Amino acid sequence: MNNTHDGRMTREGIRIHEAADFAGMRKAGALAARILDDVAAHVFVGQTTAALDDFIRTEVEKAGAVSATIGYKGYQHASCISVNHVVCHGIPGDKTLKDGDILNIDVTVIVDGWFGDTSRMYVAGKLSRKAERLIQVTHDALFKGIEAAKPGNTFGDIGHAIQTYVEANRMSVVRDFCGHGLGRVFHAPPNVLHYGRPGTGPRLEEGMFFTIEPMVNLGRPETKVLADDWTAVTRDKSLSAQFEHSIGITYDGCEVFTPSPAGRFHPTYDT
């Protein structure tokens, strides 16, 4: 066991954080969530994803924080922006948003050494019925997973809660990407799968920090990564959606570190 001031490790290599560490995660999560609130006004038909990323980069700098993604494995942007059938890791660029496009914006910031990681969905123009339903199911699936995140449950319980809800709505859960531990590092054990069997995987303990970030497809779950080695798309070109929160396990449940300060986590908040 590692009994340093950073907390101990489980046998699976999952760090157990101290009570004081929650404050650091709260602060980092709040900045990432506030930036996602503020970028909403800049999502419109004709906008480029590069312009959205420039806005995010500027906001991170203005806050005196650091972007976790700029320079990560050679990546050069302050966000990942995944449009329509892009599942995750979409690279911002000059392509303009069209009416009805849905997009996930994923931001990770470092504040005082702590990582705040969150993503949510946006729409340019008018939302189609099928896209609206996909977004709603994905949003609700995340919260099904969060409900299962409490001491004594397992990571399999989280994945099972998400998978059964999504599949009951005749959609599919992406299996090629998952959530992850975080804290003073960007990615750490465990892998947080968004599918699974109840009672399997490591048991949840107070002080574990990790993301839950289900990716849900209207079609089949298979993905492929494009030649840029980042952009993951649905193999069948079906629409995909994702929502992500960073959470910490508490004595009786969990704390979400990345709630929207303005209540804008869901893209239809103002309708």
Side-chain angles (χ1 to χ4, degrees):
M1 287 291 188
N2 175 6
N3 289 309
T4 69
H5 69 283
D6 285 330
R8 64 179 177 84
M9 292 275 206
T10 70
R11 64 168 186 244
E12 297 92 359
I14 304 168
R15 186 169 294 286
I16 305 297
H17 295 84
E18 307 288 343
D21 298 339
F22 279 74
M25 289 298 288
R26 243 174 249 137
K27 197 171 170 187
L31 175 61
R34 195 264 296 163
I35 290 171
L36 288 188
D37 278 1
D38 293 347
V39 79
H42 300 267
V43 177
F44 48 80
V45 175
Q47 178 66 292
T48 67
T49 53
L52 296 173
D53 187 70
D54 287 343
F55 172 82
I56 290 164
R57 184 190 304 247
T58 300
E59 289 300 303
V60 174
E61 290 170 356
K62 278 185 352 195
V66 175
S67 167
T69 52
I70 296 174
Y72 178 77
K73 296 185 177 179
Y75 195 77
Q76 291 304 316
H77 303 275
S79 63
C80 293
I81 303 180
S82 303
V83 182
N84 293 335
H85 72 287
V86 178
V87 174
C88 60
H89 304 155
I91 302 174
D94 295 332
K95 199 169 177 189
T96 58
L97 297 174
K98 301 189 299 298
D99 187 39
D101 279 351
I102 61 170
L103 54 154
N104 174 275
I105 303 181
D106 190 340
V107 170
T108 308
V109 298
I110 311 170
V111 179
D112 301 331
W114 295 99
F115 285 71
D117 185 3
T118 183
S119 82
R120 62 180 88 146
M121 296 300 295
Y122 301 82
V123 59
K126 185 168 170 49
L127 191 59
S128 73
R129 283 308 304 265
K130 67 176 184 177
E132 183 175 19
R133 189 165 164 271
L134 170 67
I135 287 169
Q136 189 66 53
V137 168
T138 309
H139 173 275
D140 294 349
L142 168 62
F143 284 93
K144 296 285 185 188
I146 289 171
E147 282 172 24
K150 54 189 175 187
N153 277 3
T154 67
F155 282 94
D157 293 330
I158 294 173
H160 181 74
I162 293 168
Q163 179 185 5
T164 53
Y165 182 77
V166 169
E167 291 177 354
N169 282 280
R170 301 185 303 284
M171 298 177 194
S172 65
V173 174
V174 170
R175 285 160 167 71
D176 298 333
F177 301 94
C178 60
H180 52 88
L182 83 170
R184 287 191 173 275
V185 291
F186 196 173
H187 296 103
N191 288 333
V192 183
L193 306 181
H194 303 116
Y195 60 94
R197 296 196 318 279
T200 61
R203 199 159 292 284
L204 297 165
E205 294 183 46
E206 183 177 356
M208 289 180 172
F209 296 167
F210 53 90
T211 70
I212 306 178
E213 47 184 296
M215 288 142 273
V216 175
N217 298 345
L218 267 180
R220 293 182 54 80
E222 292 84 10
T223 69
K224 64 178 180 180
V225 176
L226 301 185
D228 60 29
D229 288 333
W230 284 104
T231 309
V233 300
T234 55
R235 280 194 174 271
D236 62 5
K237 297 289 199 295
S238 64
L239 284 179
S240 187
Q242 180 186 21
F243 285 88
E244 174 184 16
H245 271 319
S246 297
I247 71 170
I249 299 298
T250 62
Y251 72 96
D252 64 348
C254 70
E255 177 180 348
V256 175
F257 295 129
T258 48
S260 165
R264 295 177 178 173
F265 190 66
H266 192 291
T268 60
Y269 65 88
D270 61 351
T271 58

